[in-house]
Amino acid sequence: MRDRDYVLTGCPVVAQDDLVVLIDVTVRLAVRPPRDGAPALGYDPADQRAVHAVCVLVLRQLGTEVASEELLVGRARVVGAVEQGLALAPVGSGVYASVTHAEVRPHDPDGVRLHHEFRLAGGS
């Protein structure tokens, strides 16, 4: 069992003030140590789509509560929301999720990217 890093890039979020920001986060899914002699649960790759969905849902819910300017300077709030969402989600029960990187930037209407991406970035 290995820890895994996933990167969510260019996730569009409509903020409370109806402006769009793009959010990038790197989520580390660390294998939890076994308890009382039980085997480590580890990460199930089949959970990747669900982890992706939880991250996007949490970010979009955060956007409904926070103005774009606050998102642009309040990365700690983004980190806290994603970590809390993953802690409460029924997926990933064998891992501890933490955000190792978060970036929020204004949406560029002239940008060519129309979709966000969620991919495996590495593991240890």
Side-chain angles (χ1 to χ4, degrees), residues 32-65:
R32 288 185 178 167
R35 296 185 201 185
D36 301 326
L41 295 173
Y43 174 73
D44 183 354
D47 288 343
Q48 180 177 337
R49 292 179 77 171
V51 170
H52 173 205
V54 169
C55 291
V56 171
L57 175 67
V58 165
L59 291 172
R60 291 185 176 165
Q61 283 180 323
L62 180 62
T64 64
E65 301 169 1

Side-chain angles (χ1 to χ4, degrees), residues 85-98:
L86 289 169
L88 297 174
V91 295
S93 60
V95 297
Y96 171 76
S98 62

Side-chain angles (χ1 to χ4, degrees), residues 7-122:
V7 178
L8 173 65
T9 57
C11 182
V13 173
V14 179
Q16 187 180 44
D17 53 4
D18 292 331
L19 295 176
V20 177
V21 296
L22 300 175
I23 300 180
D24 302 336
V25 293
T26 301
V27 176
R28 171 157 293 156
L29 301 176
V31 176
R32 288 185 178 167
R35 296 185 201 185
D36 301 326
L41 295 173
Y43 174 73
D44 183 354
D47 288 343
Q48 180 177 337
R49 292 179 77 171
V51 170
H52 173 205
V54 169
C55 291
V56 171
L57 175 67
V58 165
L59 291 172
R60 291 185 176 165
Q61 283 180 323
L62 180 62
T64 64
E65 301 169 1
V66 180
S68 61
E69 196 62 37
E70 189 175 338
L71 284 171
L72 288 167
V73 297
R75 289 175 182 83
R77 193 162 184 180
V78 170
V79 169
V82 172
E83 288 179 349
Q84 181 181 27
L86 289 169
L88 297 174
V91 295
S93 60
V95 297
Y96 171 76
S98 62
V99 175
T100 60
H101 172 78
E103 181 180 341
V104 182
R105 61 188 187 280
H107 172 63
D108 176 10
D110 297 327
V112 294
R113 181 175 278 187
L114 300 175
H115 301 285
H116 67 273
E117 177 184 27
F118 186 75
R119 63 181 167 76
L120 176 66

